[in-house]
Amino acid sequence: MVPITEQQVESFRTFIEAHDTFLIAGHKEPDGDCMASSIGMANILKHLGKKYTLLNAGPFKRAEIKKFAPLFRSDVPRMSAQDKARCGLIIVDCSEISRLGELDGSLEGLDTFIVDHHKTSDANAPHCIINPSSPAAACLVQQIHEGLIGKPDANEAHTLFFGLATDSGFFRYLNQNDSSVFECASRLTDAGVNPREIYQEMTGGKPWNTRKLLAIMLERAERYCNGKLVVTYEEQADTRKYGQEGRDSDALYTLMLSTEGVEAVLFVRQESDTNCTAGFRSVGECDVSAIAAKFGGGGHKNASGASIQGRLEGIIPAIIEEFEKVL
């Protein structure tokens, strides 16, 4: 990971000093890193004596993040033109307003600062800290906190470690040159973090229905591209039967990617009659962010997603066709 620079920290300080109030927003269907980077940003503003509102469209499907849901609202506070001029929007863990989902109200026209780590992010945004070498947005927020405030307290460090651990797969997804990530983690443990406790937060407490649903996904799984790609799906009937809460697609990806010869996994869920969400995971050199981008999505080289208009029977063959070009 390439650490953020003093100049980047100062650019964020300048943005904060230019506004009185702030909206902090992360992507829809949030994960642990989205929650942690949002709350971590709120902690920075709290230290600086700034007023803020945490926004997220949800839904908060993952069991490990349900406790954070009450901190967020899905409606944008009403503001006069004068209020808007004094308000700054901070987007974390994504770079496009469209990825924020169906918030009640408009964010258009607000001066915006982006803090993100996705490969497909808009690095040309006027105000941003975008660092694809970082394994998590929370890791960037940690460095901003340390640069502006100093060492986080135990609770703040716990939240930041949770985000870092979530998006790094508890450090399983790091590369050989990522020693600086462990340095960040070490500073958080020095602040009082218990890694074993956070691992249990991430992996424990999964609802029984998620295990039943996982069995269905495994039963449907098929291999393509000479066995290098695994594809499975979830129908609306499955959602009605097993619900939307406590999803554990991470377990599905882990099982499939640990299978001999498998380099990529595609999971598609029919969310409504006209819309699907797709999850892409890979190991090695297969860049799933490039494939996700072809369908309006994006993310990391080895982990990406997309929301796609259409139905399973049309979307899955189209995505497989793109994988056939690279596998």
Side-chain angles (χ1 to χ4, degrees), residues 272-284:
S272 69
D273 289 342
T274 59
N275 182 262
C276 290
T277 55
F280 306 77
R281 296 294 186 275
S282 68
V283 292

Side-chain angles (χ1 to χ4, degrees), residues 23 76 79 83-85 87-89 106-113:
L23 302 176
V76 180
M79 292 180 283
D83 291 335
K84 271 197 167 185
C87 182
L89 171 63
S106 175
L107 297 173
E108 297 294 337
L110 291 172
D111 196 16
T112 303
F113 199 105

Side-chain angles (χ1 to χ4, degrees), residues 34-263:
C34 180
M35 293 287 92
S37 53
S38 296
I39 296 168
M41 190 60 70
N43 288 332
I44 292 173
L45 296 180
K46 194 182 303 181
H47 278 287
L48 297 175
K50 297 289 186 176
K51 296 179 180 180
Y52 63 86
T53 299
L54 285 163
L55 298 174
N56 199 283
F60 297 83
K61 295 179 180 178
R62 298 169 180 261
E64 68 271 21
I65 67 168
K66 284 184 177 296
K67 61 186 177 184
F68 299 124
L71 301 176
F72 292 80
R73 55 190 287 181
S74 60
D75 60 307
V76 180
R78 292 191 177 187
M79 292 180 283
S80 65
Q82 189 176 21
D83 291 335
K84 271 197 167 185
R86 295 197 299 261
C87 182
L89 171 63
I90 301 173
I91 298 177
V92 295
D93 204 29
C94 68
S95 64
E96 309 89 0
I97 286 182
S98 61
R99 285 279 290 122
L100 302 182
E102 295 71 37
L103 293 168
D104 183 12
S106 175
L107 297 173
E108 297 294 337
L110 291 172
D111 196 16
T112 303
F113 199 105
I114 295 168
V115 178
D116 192 21
H117 69 124
H118 291 99
K119 181 180 178 182
T120 52
S121 294
D122 181 9
N124 295 316
H127 309 297
C128 66
I129 297 175
I130 293 176
N131 185 346
S133 73
S134 176
C139 196
L140 301 176
V141 174
Q142 175 189 348
Q143 294 173 75
I144 295 170
H145 187 119
E146 292 167 341
L148 293 180
I149 312 301
K151 182 178 178 180
D153 65 27
N155 288 331
E156 294 165 341
H158 184 101
T159 299
L160 293 168
F161 195 104
F162 179 81
L164 170 57
T166 297
D167 253 28
S168 69
F170 219 89
F171 308 103
R172 288 176 296 150
Y173 307 144
L174 300 185
N175 296 313
Q176 63 185 22
N177 297 322
D178 281 340
S179 60
S180 57
V181 177
F182 287 101
E183 292 170 4
C184 286
S186 176
R187 296 196 297 273
L188 295 176
T189 57
D190 285 344
V193 167
N194 183 332
R196 182 168 59 181
E197 181 181 310
I198 289 179
Y199 183 79
Q200 184 59 31
E201 281 183 44
M202 290 170 53
T203 60
K206 304 296 184 185
W208 172 251
N209 67 325
T210 67
R211 290 343 190 201
K212 301 289 284 185
L213 186 58
L214 179 60
I216 292 173
M217 301 301 100
L218 294 173
E219 177 65 25
R220 288 180 182 157
E222 298 288 347
R223 298 178 75 170
Y224 298 86
C225 304
N226 296 318
K228 296 178 181 179
L229 171 67
V230 172
V231 179
T232 190
Y233 58 91
E234 179 181 329
E235 298 176 337
Q236 286 179 281
D238 304 319
T239 306
R240 288 192 292 268
K241 182 174 181 178
Y242 295 104
Q244 296 187 2
E245 305 303 318
R247 295 309 179 89
D248 196 16
S249 53
D250 290 340
L252 172 69
Y253 296 132
T254 299
L255 283 168
M256 293 296 93
L257 287 174
S258 63
T259 303
E260 182 180 10
V262 174
E263 297 181 16

